[in-house]
Amino acid sequence: MLGIGDDAAILKPAANRHWVIATDTLVSGVHFKPDDPASTIGHKSLAVNFSDMAAMGAQPKWVLLNLTLPAVNESWIKAFVQGFSQLLNQYDVQLIGGDTTRGPLSIGVTVLGDCEQPVRRDTASAGEAVVVSGQLGSAAFALHHPKADDACLAQLHTPQPRLELAASIKTMATAMIDVSDGLLADLGHICEQSGVGATIELERIPIKPVIQTSDDWITHVLAGGDDYQLCFTIKACDQHRLPADCQVIGRLTEDRGITVTHHQKPIHTGLTGYQHFAHE
Ligand SMILES: Nc1ncnc2c1ncn2[C@@H]1O[C@H](COP(=O)(O)OP(=O)(O)OP(=O)(O)O)[C@@H](O)[C@H]1O
Ligand SMILES: Cc1ncc(C[n+]2csc(CCOP(=O)(O)O)c2C)c(N)n1
Ligand SMILES: [Mg+2]
């Protein structure tokens, strides 16, 4: 085992474990505002990667950090490191390397984790219940209404990866994903890759009541993104075993596509999810 200092780090996998590897980049102006606090940018760049580990039912162990900075601003870097290290230490994860270059501000993180049995996106079946953790739409609401609610703003700036929750439900989850691009997009990935569809009930999706003050709250809930909650599927017989922070919001169907109902009536949203190249 060798960390920072050589041309590459060296890892020795534990026997009978699966390695799980993911990478996610945050770009200034795309994933955060240039004047957001550096400590929250540090936190979020790691949290979104840990969220991918949670979605696989894996435990993060090591990370690589690729920093592109426009200039050396010591107080900015100090605050970034503080936010980044706080989450690293919380989950006992080691920074084993990375790269630092000059350019427009962006942060790339690669995370390596392990688990006994990963939870995939392509293993759900029709008839199973669709579950989400926490509440959806808070971060998207805060992005559009930054002064409206501190709890929503905290969801946007310092999302908490659902690692403990994932560990507690991973054996009952038949498929799982984290909600980064919006529920419709991410549940859509489970559906497409598992060859099923879904019907979800809007009124069963947990939200903070304050977001309903926005005319666009349905868009925030279904397609806003930046939630970093878990969406997973379970057998109907496991519903009574769900932790309190999890809510069944619908069911998987043989028919493809996702139908959203509001008080039993289908609603036509025309929504997809967060798309990086949608407005080109
Ligand atoms: N440039 C790329 N080269 C190779 N594979 C890629 C590339 N971009 C995405 N992928 C792969 O495509 C799959 C989906 O990645 P994507 O980033 O779209 O989804 P995600 O990780 O669920 O979402 P998010 O990035 O919002 O967390 C992953 O397996 C990822 O490794
Ligand atoms: C300044 C600013 N503009 C827009 C957003 C919203 N946003 C950006 S990327 C993304 C999806 C996840 O990205 P990826 O798919 O790359 O992981 C979302 C919801 C934000 N947070 N800050
Ligand atoms: Mg990704």
Side-chain angles (χ1 to χ4, degrees):
M1 187 35 247
L2 183 66
I4 291 175
D6 213 313
D7 296 298
I10 306 172
L11 305 174
K12 210 171 158 74
N16 300 325
R17 306 278 292 178
H18 290 87
W19 283 58
V20 182
I21 304 173
T23 193
D24 252 331
T25 305
L26 300 196
V27 177
S28 178
V30 175
H31 296 88
F32 57 85
K33 297 196 172 122
D35 56 354
D36 280 349
S39 63
T40 68
I41 298 170
H43 172 100
K44 190 164 175 176
S45 61
L46 200 52
V48 301
N49 278 277
F50 284 5
S51 179
D52 282 325
M53 291 289 111
M56 297 301 291
Q59 202 56 44
K61 297 260 185 207
W62 300 284
V63 293
L64 298 161
L65 169 61
N66 289 348
L67 260 182
T68 304
L69 301 170
V72 175
N73 174 337
E74 277 177 26
S75 64
W76 191 95
I77 294 172
K78 196 171 165 208
F80 175 90
V81 168
Q82 182 258 319
F84 193 87
S85 323
Q86 196 279 327
L87 201 56
L88 267 191
N89 296 337
Q90 184 179 336
Y91 289 104
D92 200 19
V93 174
Q94 205 183 333
L95 177 66
I96 56 166
D99 193 25
T100 311
T101 52
R102 187 212 292 239
L105 180 60
S106 99
I107 302 107
V109 173
T110 300
V111 58
L112 296 92
D114 78 347
C115 67
E116 209 173 300
Q117 197 56 53
V119 186
R120 301 168 51 135
R121 297 176 177 182
D122 60 358
T123 40
S125 308
E128 291 173 350
V130 178
V131 183
V132 292
S133 68
Q135 295 161 322
L136 300 185
S138 306
F141 172 79
L143 185 64
H144 292 90
H145 309 276
K147 294 194 166 47
D149 186 79
D150 285 348
C152 290
L153 206 58
Q155 283 295 321
L156 176 65
H157 284 153
T158 50
Q160 302 300 318
R162 304 308 309 263
L163 286 160
E164 293 86 356
L165 180 73
S168 75
I169 55 87
K170 68 181 181 187
T171 54
M172 78 171 113
T174 55
M176 183 150 63
I177 194 165
D178 66 321
V179 184
S180 53
D181 294 337
L183 179 68
L184 289 180
D186 289 317
L187 175 59
H189 293 313
I190 289 186
C191 288
E192 273 159 36
Q193 294 188 26
S194 297
V196 296
T199 302
I200 59 175
E201 295 172 51
L202 184 61
E203 59 274 23
R204 294 178 82 173
I205 302 175
I207 58 166
K208 288 192 197 302
V210 66
I211 74 169
Q212 289 184 306
T213 58
S214 165
D215 290 342
D216 293 327
W217 72 272
I218 295 178
T219 305
H220 298 331
V221 171
L222 296 176
D226 263 339
D227 296 297
Y228 304 105
Q229 293 297 338
L230 298 172
C231 174
F232 57 98
T233 50
I234 57 167
K235 305 241 171 283
C237 61
D238 282 329
Q239 289 190 32
H240 70 282
R241 300 204 290 137
L242 280 172
D245 195 23
C246 290
Q247 176 69 43
V248 174
I249 59 163
R251 214 155 280 290
L252 296 181
T253 56
E254 302 271 358
D255 292 341
R256 301 293 183 92
I258 300 179
T259 304
V260 183
T261 65
H262 195 208
H263 303 303
Q264 280 83 48
K265 290 201 182 70
I267 57 168
H268 299 283
T269 63
L271 295 168
T272 47
Y274 190 89
Q275 291 178 317
H276 278 285
F277 297 98
H279 307 297
E280 298 285 294

